[in-house]
């Protein structure tokens, strides 16, 4: 497996050039400038704090001054109620599934370690999350929604939010947005000057 | 654009403007008929409305909720159904291989599945016509299937990293490959009655919408042709109901426009809403179903993907995603299953890839971040293979209502022994190709793609919903032209065949009208 690291700022530096179309620039700038959500609209405050801790385990951002506001983006998405076109038949509608799922995580945490999720150390937090992902989690909640499917939905939503954010794109050296004039060099090992090179190369 | 009054009895209403609706719309209009297309979504102006951004471009996907049941529940939404003038072609990858002649008689060859009531010969002239009209880019001589009467009008698009790597791997294993046929322009192209379209600039974001009109979506090809010939295209018009007269003909189509119910009087209806919305609409209205076959025989292509990471810089967001093809596995000699599959290289957009990594590999934490730091070194191969029809794969209406107050569809899908064997066969080859090409961290994603079946065409009205000319057995002025009428899945991407069927259904209709 590669383990490339790319310089920070690569996407932000390109956003104000003519390599990016105005409509693409507006959308990415909108994400960059979005203020962190303190008061959630969909989750209650307690759940929102737990969600923040879960996000740190699923998609850690330890060295970042301004983190991608994963809980905030998810809260906003669920509040708007924009679906993605399908759901597993065994799952309730998204708004119900995410509330129950968050309750289920707390229940499992208390059953496994006798403490709320946010007070667990990260090793135990990960144990809770693994048991939920593998459909082995204790708790009555999971009799009404399959824990593995909830975990898959939660993870997929967070991952889609994260990798659509310019800061995550910089992390993986992805500058697909800089295509206003198309790409000429598209073969193996062919890079255009605006494509960032990995630091460890 | 010509506009018709709702009180005027138009010759035809066409429901849906994708690969099924748009070609026949242009054909009927060209014949001088008064035609109105009703499209649920917007009429976009891609150069202004589209961004290079997967999340915001989700507006091209049909996002009304579908309930996904069965052992192998399908992920609808992206990749399966589209909305907007142009339908799913707005986000197809424009991969347009022809089906092979033997795809149409699987039952005769293997004793499973069903034969089509028509064959390759019935569609061949349409394949030729469509390829020329769309400006398909492809090899001068195609290596597999029936020899084409005319070559692809444009040379192939350039190979991106994934395509070069698949070629490298296949060369080592003596698997023949070829640049694929893609409905995206490798050079500027002139279409009669429409004008010039620009050449592809190698943006790899075909599935998030083409911003320059190089990809031959219906909104830059058959829709402008239809409008040129006098058709009206009404966007944001969601059809809910049919009014029938005393002789069991449809006399008007009812639809909502900006929340208001409207009705268009008409002499004929062409239903082209795709293999989910077409049967859903018929079931909601309880029509055209004396056979009981509406919603039955649902299929989705076997579409396994195998991914790997390579030392080379690939940057999977560049170039047409499906650059290379092999059909050496169309009827493999060592197969223990019916039918076969094709191989294609795949580039991939980052959010789509990350989402698959999350769902299929279940990676999170540092493992996820590390996998994604290899995104620029990632390439995939995909199969597109047969799927047989089974009685337990079907669509029904659920008790749950959507925002329009209509029942959400529930779709059952489980693969069975034939698909399992095909997948095992394919996975072995795909992994061998990627190993030979130098990949590490190889992993497979066992997925199914496309929506097919649910309003089967056939000769027996007890077992089919429409006849071989797309005409309903129950309602004399109702025609269906989309992927719902496919009796079998075909081991080729469906868009080209849907367009060919669409033109053939229009020609059969016009021919009958002439002789009436």
């Amino acid at each position: 497996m590669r383990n490339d690291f790319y310089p920070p700022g690569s996407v932000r530096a390109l956003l104000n050039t003519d390599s990016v179309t105005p409509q693409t620039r507006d959308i990415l700038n909108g994400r960059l400038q979005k203020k962190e959500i303190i008061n959630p609209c969909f989750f209650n405050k307690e759940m929102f704090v737990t969600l923040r801790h879960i996000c740190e385990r699923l998609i850690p951002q330890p060295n970042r001054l301004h983190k991608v506001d994963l809980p905030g983006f998810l809260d906003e998405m669920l509040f708007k109620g924009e679906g993605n076109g399908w759901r597993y038949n065994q799952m309730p509608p998204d708004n119900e599934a995410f509330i129950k799922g968050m309750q289920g995580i707390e229940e499992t945490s208390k059953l496994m370690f006798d403490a709320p999720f946010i007070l667990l150390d990260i090793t135990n937090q990960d144990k809770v999350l693994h048991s939920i992902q593998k459909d082995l989690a204790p708790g009555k909640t999971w009799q009404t929604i399959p824990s593995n499917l909830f975990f898959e939905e939660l993870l997929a939503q967070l991952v889609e939010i994260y990798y659509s954010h310019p800061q995550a794109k910089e992390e993986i050296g992805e500058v697909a947005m800089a295509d206003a004039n198309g790409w000429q060099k598209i073969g193996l090992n062919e890079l255009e000057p605006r494509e960032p090179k990995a630091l460890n190369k | 654009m010509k506009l018709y009054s709702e009180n005027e009895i138009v010759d035809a209403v066409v429901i849906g403007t994708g690969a099924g609706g748009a070609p026949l719309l242009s054909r009927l209009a060209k014949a001088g008929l008064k035609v109105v297309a009703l499209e649920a979504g917007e009429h976009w102006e891609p150069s202004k409305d589209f961004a290079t951004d997967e999340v915001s471009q989700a507006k091209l996907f049909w996002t009304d909720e579908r309930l996904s049941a069965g052992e192998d529940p399908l992920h609808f939404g992206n990749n399966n159904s589209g909305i907007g003038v142009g339908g799913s072609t707005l986000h197809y990858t424009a991969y347009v291989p022809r089906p092979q002649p033997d795809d149409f008689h699987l039952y005769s060859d293997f004793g499973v599945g069903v034969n089509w009531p028509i064959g390759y010969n019935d569609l061949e002239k349409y394949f030729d016509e469509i390829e020329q009209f769309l400006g398909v880019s492809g090899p001068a001589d195609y290596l597999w299937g029936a020899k084409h009467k005319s070559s692809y009008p444009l040379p192939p698009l350039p190979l991106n990293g994934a395509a070069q790597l698949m070629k490298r791997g296949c060369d080592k294993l003596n698997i023949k490959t070829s640049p694929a046929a893609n409905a995206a322009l490798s050079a500027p192209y002139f279409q009669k009655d429409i004008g010039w379209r620009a050449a592809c600039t190698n943006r790899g974001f075909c599935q998030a919408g083409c911003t320059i009109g190089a990809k031959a979506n219906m909104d830059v090809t058959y829709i402008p042709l239809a409008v040129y010939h006098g058709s009206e295209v009404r966007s944001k018009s969601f059809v809910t109901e049919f009014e029938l007269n005393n002789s069991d003909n449809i006399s008007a189509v009812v639809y909502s426009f900006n929340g208001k119910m409207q009705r268009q009087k008409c002499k004929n209806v062409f239903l082209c809403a795709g293999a989910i919305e077409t049967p859903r609409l018929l079931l909601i209205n309880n029509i055209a179903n004396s056979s009981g076959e509406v919603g039955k025989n649902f299929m989705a292509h076997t579409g396994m993907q195998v991914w790997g990471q390579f030392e080379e810089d690939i940057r999977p967001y560049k170039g047409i995603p499906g650059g290379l093809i092999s059909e050496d596995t169309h009827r493999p000699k060592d197969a223990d299953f019916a039918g076969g599959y094709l191989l294609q290289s795949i580039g991939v957009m980052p959010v789509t890839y990350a989402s698959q990594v999350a769902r299929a590999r279940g990676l999170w934490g540092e493992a996820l971040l590390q996998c994604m730091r290899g995104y620029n070194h990632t390439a995939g191969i995909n199969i597109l293979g047969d799927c047989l029809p089974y009685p337990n794969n079907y669509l029904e209406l659920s008790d749950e209502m959507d925002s329009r107050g209509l029942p959400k569809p529930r779709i059952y899908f489980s693969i069975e022994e034939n698909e399992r064997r095909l997948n095992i066969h394919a996975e072995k080859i795909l992994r061998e190709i990627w190993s030979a090409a130098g990949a590490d961290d190889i992993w497979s994603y066992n997925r199914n793609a496309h929506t097919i079946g649910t309003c089967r065409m056939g000769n027996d009205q007890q077992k089919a919903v429409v006849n071989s000319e797309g005409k309903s057995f129950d309602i004399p002025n109702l025609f269906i032209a989309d992927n719902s009428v496919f009796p079998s899945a075909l081991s080729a991407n469906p868009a080209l065949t849907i367009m060919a069927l669409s033109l053939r259904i229009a020609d059969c209709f016009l021919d009958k009208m002439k002789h009436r």
Side-chain angles (χ1 to χ4, degrees):
Chain A
M1 213 191 271
R2 311 282 87 67
N3 201 8
D4 288 353
F5 290 86
Y6 291 89
S10 59
V11 170
R12 280 168 282 187
L14 281 166
L15 276 186
N16 292 318
T17 69
D18 64 3
S19 294
V20 178
T21 64
Q23 52 273 33
T24 304
R25 180 181 305 128
D26 284 352
I27 284 166
L28 293 179
N29 272 333
R31 271 180 216 140
L32 272 171
Q33 289 154 12
K34 194 171 152 312
K35 291 223 166 64
E36 188 182 335
I37 289 180
I38 310 294
N39 298 309
C41 295
F42 177 81
F43 294 104
N44 66 34
K45 280 199 169 175
E46 208 172 51
M47 276 178 190
F48 198 59
V49 174
T50 307
L51 177 63
R52 192 172 299 284
H53 282 76
I54 294 168
C55 289
E56 307 237 333
R57 300 313 305 145
L58 297 183
I59 306 179
Q61 309 178 63
N63 302 321
R64 202 167 264 157
L65 194 60
H66 297 288
K67 293 182 183 175
V68 177
D69 182 19
L70 294 168
F73 277 105
L74 181 64
D75 182 77
E76 189 178 80
M77 215 180 75
L78 289 167
F79 184 70
K80 282 187 191 156
E82 292 166 352
N84 62 354
W86 68 283
R87 72 170 203 258
Y88 290 115
N89 192 49
Q90 306 102 295
M91 292 284 278
D94 281 355
N95 50 2
E96 200 184 322
F98 275 87
I99 295 295
K100 276 193 177 169
M102 292 302 295
Q103 290 165 344
I105 290 175
E106 281 302 6
E107 191 189 358
T108 298
S109 173
K110 282 169 192 160
L111 286 171
M112 283 174 75
F113 299 108
D114 205 22
F117 187 85
I118 59 166
L119 296 183
L120 304 182
D121 63 30
I122 57 172
T123 313
N124 287 346
Q125 284 186 340
D126 285 0
K127 280 183 186 163
V128 169
L129 293 173
H130 274 298
S131 75
I132 288 164
Q133 181 177 26
K134 291 180 177 141
D135 203 17
L136 299 169
K140 276 193 208 134
T141 312
W142 307 124
Q143 287 165 14
T144 57
I145 65 168
S147 73
N148 57 331
L149 297 186
F150 166 69
F151 186 89
E152 182 188 322
E153 284 304 323
L154 174 67
L155 181 63
Q157 299 294 355
L158 292 175
V159 160
E160 288 177 23
I161 290 167
Y162 186 66
Y163 286 104
S164 62
H165 196 279
Q167 283 184 269
K169 292 178 181 299
E170 289 173 2
E171 183 177 285
I172 63 172
E174 179 254 305
V175 291
M177 75 297 296
D179 65 350
N181 305 306
W183 301 102
Q184 279 75 49
K185 296 181 174 176
I186 68 164
L188 282 178
N189 289 326
E190 290 177 5
L191 295 187
E192 302 202 5
R194 65 185 182 281
E195 297 185 272
K197 289 195 182 69
L199 290 171
N200 45 330
K201 287 286 156 70
Chain B
M1 183 165 73
K2 191 163 179 176
L3 302 177
Y4 293 94
S5 149
E6 290 195 311
N7 289 319
E8 185 170 359
I9 305 175
V10 296
D11 293 307
V13 164
V14 177
I15 302 166
T17 56
L24 68 79
L25 183 73
S26 72
R27 200 63 135 220
L28 300 180
K30 192 179 177 186
L33 270 59
K34 295 174 178 170
V35 280
V36 173
L38 300 176
E39 161 59 47
E42 309 256 352
H43 200 155
W44 300 109
E45 199 179 326
S47 63
K48 289 194 184 132
D49 297 334
F50 290 2
T52 303
D53 178 68
E54 292 167 79
V55 171
S56 65
Q57 288 302 110
K59 63 190 180 191
L60 306 185
F61 303 133
W62 190 277
T63 51
D64 288 3
E65 193 162 75
R66 294 163 177 173
L67 306 180
S68 214
E71 296 298 312
D72 301 282
L74 289 166
H75 301 185
F76 293 99
N78 55 359
N79 194 36
N80 267 311
S81 310
I83 188 165
V85 172
S88 302
T89 65
L90 290 173
H91 60 75
Y92 77 151
T93 53
Y95 208 65
V96 286
R98 292 185 184 190
Q100 295 198 26
D102 57 8
D103 277 318
F104 293 87
H105 45 77
L106 210 57
Y107 181 77
S108 300
D109 296 352
F110 292 97
V112 293
V114 288
N115 290 347
W116 285 50
I118 58 172
Y120 182 87
N121 291 340
D122 296 299
L123 296 178
E124 186 177 21
K125 67 175 178 182
Y126 298 109
F127 294 144
D128 282 313
E129 178 188 335
I130 294 162
E131 286 162 1
Q132 298 302 314
F133 176 68
L134 299 183
V136 171
S137 302
D141 276 310
Y142 196 68
L143 292 172
W144 303 273
K147 188 165 171 55
H148 296 193
K149 291 203 170 111
S150 38
S151 291
Y152 291 117
L154 293 173
L157 288 158
L159 298 184
N160 62 8
Q164 290 178 359
L165 288 165
M166 177 173 146
K167 185 169 188 323
R168 182 198 287 173
C170 287
D171 284 350
K172 286 191 181 160
L173 300 172
N174 291 318
I175 296 170
K176 294 193 296 292
T177 61
S178 164
N182 276 296
L185 302 175
S186 58
Y189 198 66
F190 185 79
Q191 281 168 318
K192 191 171 168 291
D193 304 329
I194 296 176
W196 285 95
R197 285 171 43 220
C200 174
T201 59
N202 304 318
R203 290 175 71 238
F205 265 51
C206 305
Q207 290 177 318
C210 182
T211 51
I212 60 166
K215 187 168 68 124
N217 310 332
M218 296 302 97
D219 66 325
V220 294
T221 55
Y222 281 110
I223 292 292
L225 184 66
V227 170
Y228 172 82
H229 287 300
S231 158
E232 181 184 346
V233 177
R234 271 179 220 158
S235 53
K236 294 186 273 188
S237 300
F238 188 98
V239 174
T240 55
E241 242 176 276
F242 300 105
E243 290 179 6
L244 271 65
N245 62 19
N246 294 337
S247 51
D248 266 347
N249 272 286
I250 296 173
S251 53
V253 175
V254 180
Y255 61 99
S256 78
F257 177 81
N258 278 342
K260 212 175 109 211
M261 295 316 279
Q262 318 247 78
R263 57 198 283 275
Q264 176 65 55
K265 293 181 186 170
C266 61
K267 290 181 191 162
N268 296 283
V269 172
F270 291 80
L271 181 51
C272 314
I276 306 292
E277 296 308 314
T278 285
R280 180 181 178 220
L281 196 51
L282 295 178
L283 289 173
I284 287 171
N285 283 275
N286 197 19
I287 59 167
N289 196 20
S290 66
S291 65
E293 291 292 307
V294 171
K296 302 285 170 62
N297 309 305
F298 178 79
M299 294 169 279
H301 281 122
T302 43
M304 172 181 288
Q305 299 178 341
V306 167
W307 296 97
Q309 287 193 14
F310 295 82
E311 196 52 46
E312 288 86 350
D313 238 312
I314 297 168
R315 313 273 162 157
Y317 49 82
K318 296 190 287 188
I320 191 97
L324 200 79
I325 191 168
S326 175
E327 295 199 46
D328 274 9
T329 48
H330 178 68
R331 293 290 180 263
K333 287 201 179 68
D334 59 347
D336 56 353
F337 52 85
Y341 56 96
L342 59 78
L343 309 176
Q344 66 178 111
S345 62
I346 36 173
V348 64
M349 301 184 291
V351 175
T352 301
Y353 182 70
S355 183
Q356 292 187 183
V357 165
R359 285 190 186 275
R361 293 187 94 176
L363 296 184
W364 51 274
E366 184 50 38
L368 168 73
L369 299 183
Q370 192 180 329
C371 176
M372 285 305 294
R373 282 199 298 268
Y375 167 73
N376 278 338
H377 296 271
T378 300
I381 321 181
N382 188 79
I383 70 157
L384 193 293
D386 272 302
C387 164
L388 299 177
Y390 299 107
N392 52 341
N393 288 345
Y394 62 96
L395 173 149
E396 67 179 14
L397 300 179
S398 74
D399 297 333
E400 201 176 311
M401 299 297 142
D402 68 11
S403 56
R404 294 187 178 88
L406 299 172
K408 293 180 182 177
R410 178 183 291 116
I411 298 99
Y412 292 85
F413 185 73
S414 308
I415 63 164
E416 301 212 352
E417 195 55 29
N418 200 67
E419 292 73 30
R420 264 189 285 278
R421 290 180 180 184
L422 188 153
N423 281 337
I424 289 167
H425 190 273
E427 183 169 354
K428 182 166 173 283
I429 291 185
L430 297 183
R431 284 178 178 273
E432 281 168 6
I433 294 169
W434 258 185
S435 293
D440 53 46
D441 194 34
I442 299 172
W443 64 282
S444 64
Y445 178 33
N446 208 347
R447 66 194 261 283
N448 297 279
H450 304 131
T451 60
I452 315 163
T454 67
C455 289
R456 177 188 279 181
M457 68 156 59
N459 295 323
D460 181 351
Q461 66 181 78
Q462 310 286 324
K463 293 179 183 164
V465 178
V466 295
N467 70 12
S468 65
E469 299 181 352
K471 184 176 173 174
S472 160
F473 285 114
D474 298 346
I475 298 179
N477 69 343
L478 172 67
F479 300 80
I480 302 178
D482 56 30
N483 44 0
S484 70
V485 304
F486 283 31
S488 74
L490 308 174
S491 60
N493 304 55
L496 182 71
T497 306
I498 299 170
M499 292 180 222
L501 273 176
S502 173
L503 289 180
R504 181 175 184 275
I505 287 166
D507 280 357
C508 291
F509 172 83
L510 291 169
D511 198 47
K512 290 266 156 57
M513 227 174 72
K514 230 185 293 170
H515 295 100
R516 200 177 287 165

